Amino acid sequence: MSSVTIEQYIEVIYALENEKGVAHTTDIAVELNIKPPSVTEMLHKLDDLDLIIYEQYHGAKLSNSGKKMAQELMLRHKALADFFMIIGVDEETANFDACKIEHHVSPETFKQLNQFIKFAKDGPCDPLWLEHFNYFDKTGDRKKCICQSRNTPI
Ligand code: FE2
């Protein structure tokens, strides 16, 4: 079983547990578009890995290590979605793509992504390069300088 598959289950169980208190096999099957017997089989495996606590007929809940994995996934998801929105992607698409890519990001890329987001969002002054990019994105024009009227040094 791939780590992507495990992470997808952990994400769905996390969301269902938050919503309903417990993640039922049938709900997981609907969310992941997988047949219930396959879900049950996977839940046994995740239980063996100590990522969930699974009781047949009751459903699954995340264990402490499962919760830790879910939180890490959410941080990766948020960083990717934030990055996509910074470069002009709409929120829905940014979240959709983040959810797919979050399973394939190395710790190093994730660290640098966070550094970049921090820099782009919390700079001491507005990052002019980002304004330039937004202007270029909308107009396709990269020759005209939009900061001529401003006194802020680049
Ligand atoms: Fe996600």
Side-chain angles (χ1 to χ4, degrees):
M1 111 191 99
S2 75
S3 60
V4 175
T5 315
I6 293 177
E7 287 181 357
Q8 282 167 339
Y9 267 83
I10 294 298
E11 244 188 324
V12 167
I13 294 168
Y14 177 83
L16 287 169
E17 196 183 329
N18 274 349
E19 196 188 319
K20 301 181 174 184
V22 66
H24 292 288
T25 310
T26 43
D27 293 334
I28 299 169
V30 170
E31 286 293 325
L32 289 172
N33 199 17
I34 293 171
K35 289 197 174 80
S38 307
V39 172
T40 305
E41 194 185 318
M42 184 66 176
L43 292 179
H44 282 292
K45 286 179 186 164
L46 293 175
D47 191 272
D48 289 344
L49 290 170
D50 284 327
L51 289 170
I52 63 167
I53 299 147
Y54 175 57
E55 283 179 48
Q56 209 148 9
Y57 310 114
H58 284 95
K61 284 184 177 199
L62 293 179
S63 66
N64 282 339
S65 37
K67 277 181 200 150
K68 204 172 154 244
M69 188 188 265
Q71 277 151 9
E72 278 166 20
L73 274 167
M74 277 171 17
L75 290 177
R76 265 191 265 161
H77 179 114
K78 193 179 176 313
L80 285 160
D82 281 352
F83 173 71
F84 295 146
M85 286 189 275
I86 286 171
I87 61 169
V89 179
D90 71 84
E91 194 178 344
E92 196 187 338
T93 311
N95 278 307
F96 183 79
D97 287 351
C99 225
K100 286 188 288 183
I101 299 168
E102 71 197 9
H103 306 291
H104 306 279
V105 177
S106 69
E108 192 198 344
T109 302
F110 176 56
K111 185 172 158 264
Q112 286 312 110
L113 196 61
N114 275 315
Q115 282 292 85
F116 177 81
I117 292 162
K118 223 196 285 176
F119 178 74
K121 277 184 163 177
D122 310 326
C125 51
D126 294 342
L128 278 178
W129 55 269
L130 192 52
E131 268 184 50
H132 283 147
F133 172 71
N134 287 334
Y135 182 79
F136 168 74
D137 185 34
K138 285 188 184 70
T139 63
D141 178 6
R142 57 182 302 154
K143 291 189 186 90
K144 189 177 153 200
C145 183
I146 52 163
C147 57
Q148 275 166 352
S149 55
R150 295 171 57 147
N151 295 319
T152 323
I154 297 176

